[in-house]
Amino acid sequence: MFMSIRQMQADMARMEDALGFIGYVVGRINDEHGGQLGASMNIGGDPSLISITGRWESLGAYAQMREAMMADGELQSAIRVGGGLFESAQDMLGQVRKPAGDRDAIAAVNVARMHLPRVTDAIPFAMEVATVVEDITGNATGVATAVTGDRTQLMWFGFSESLDAFAADPEKLEAEEEYVGLYKRSEDLFEPGSLEQSLWQIIA
């Protein structure tokens, strides 16, 4: 399975219009073309960031969806008009090594850079981390690696029903020696200081 991520920086003065436009695009693609897209906005970080994510059984399925979007005259007309709501956009493709659960109100994404010579060791370790987190918190945790962009990037991701529910997980994790020990074991697998977490509120 693969995932696509389009991250856009909206004009803050026109955020309401940008959110409405994103809702239309996601709804159009899902309803008319059978897509599995979702949209979210960053919280606790850059408030101008909006992300559209998609799930694909293969890269071929992703390519077919892009072709269908290009052939959709109504959608392309809307994109030409709505493009001015955003200051920049960037795409990334990833391979889902382990899927997370169903989308919920809040998405938590942790990204780290693997040491290139240790990639074949870092990926199984990341899968182990996801399993430990699931066992302790009860929340399904996904793992993905980059197909485009920085190929050393690895991502853990999962969903919570609220910010309060998300905030309860670190206390559970840090109370478990098995989880705390994973940090020590990771030091030769990932670049020091590269772990970054972002939170996203699902909007579509």
Side-chain angles (χ1 to χ4, degrees):
M1 182 181 291
F2 294 85
M3 64 191 305
S4 61
I5 302 173
R6 171 164 292 185
Q7 197 169 99
M8 296 161 290
Q9 186 172 31
D11 180 348
M12 286 297 296
R14 304 183 68 188
M15 178 60 77
E16 183 177 356
D17 293 334
L19 294 175
F21 171 74
I22 292 298
Y24 162 77
V25 169
V26 168
R28 175 78 181 179
I29 293 172
N30 290 347
D31 295 342
E32 299 297 325
H33 302 293
Q36 299 183 60
L37 301 185
S40 57
M41 60 187 302
N42 187 255
I43 51 178
D46 185 341
S48 69
L49 291 181
I50 299 174
S51 180
I52 297 178
T53 58
R55 302 174 183 178
W56 316 95
E57 290 301 321
S58 67
L59 290 179
Y62 168 73
Q64 290 175 1
M65 182 61 66
R66 285 179 57 88
E67 291 173 1
M69 290 168 56
M70 294 297 293
D72 185 332
E74 179 180 324
L75 179 61
Q76 290 303 311
S77 294
I79 290 174
R80 283 192 291 271
V81 174
L85 300 171
F86 302 92
E87 297 177 358
S88 64
Q90 184 173 0
D91 283 352
M92 190 195 85
L93 294 175
Q95 182 176 358
V96 178
R97 307 283 181 155
K98 180 181 181 303
D102 293 334
R103 290 188 179 99
D104 211 331
I106 302 295
V109 180
N110 285 271
V111 178
R113 290 192 305 276
M114 300 176 283
H115 280 305
L116 190 57
R118 301 294 306 276
V119 165
T120 55
D121 298 316
I123 294 174
F125 175 79
M127 303 280 281
E128 180 185 351
V129 170
T131 300
V132 170
V133 170
E134 285 183 4
D135 290 344
I136 296 172
T137 67
N139 296 328
T141 302
V143 178
T145 52
V147 173
T148 60
D150 183 354
R151 292 293 306 280
T152 66
Q153 278 197 346
L154 183 142
M155 177 192 304
W156 291 274
F157 58 100
F159 300 93
S160 299
E161 63 182 13
S162 67
L163 282 174
D164 284 338
F166 161 78
D169 287 343
E171 185 174 350
K172 297 177 186 176
L173 294 168
E174 292 163 9
E176 296 291 335
E177 291 185 8
E178 182 181 14
Y179 176 79
V180 175
L182 293 172
Y183 280 98
K184 182 65 175 177
R185 290 175 51 200
S186 72
E187 62 183 2
D188 294 327
L189 301 176
F190 297 90
E191 293 186 17
S194 68
L195 180 62
E196 293 187 7
Q197 180 169 261
S198 60
L199 298 175
W200 302 81
Q201 181 179 356
I202 307 302
I203 58 174

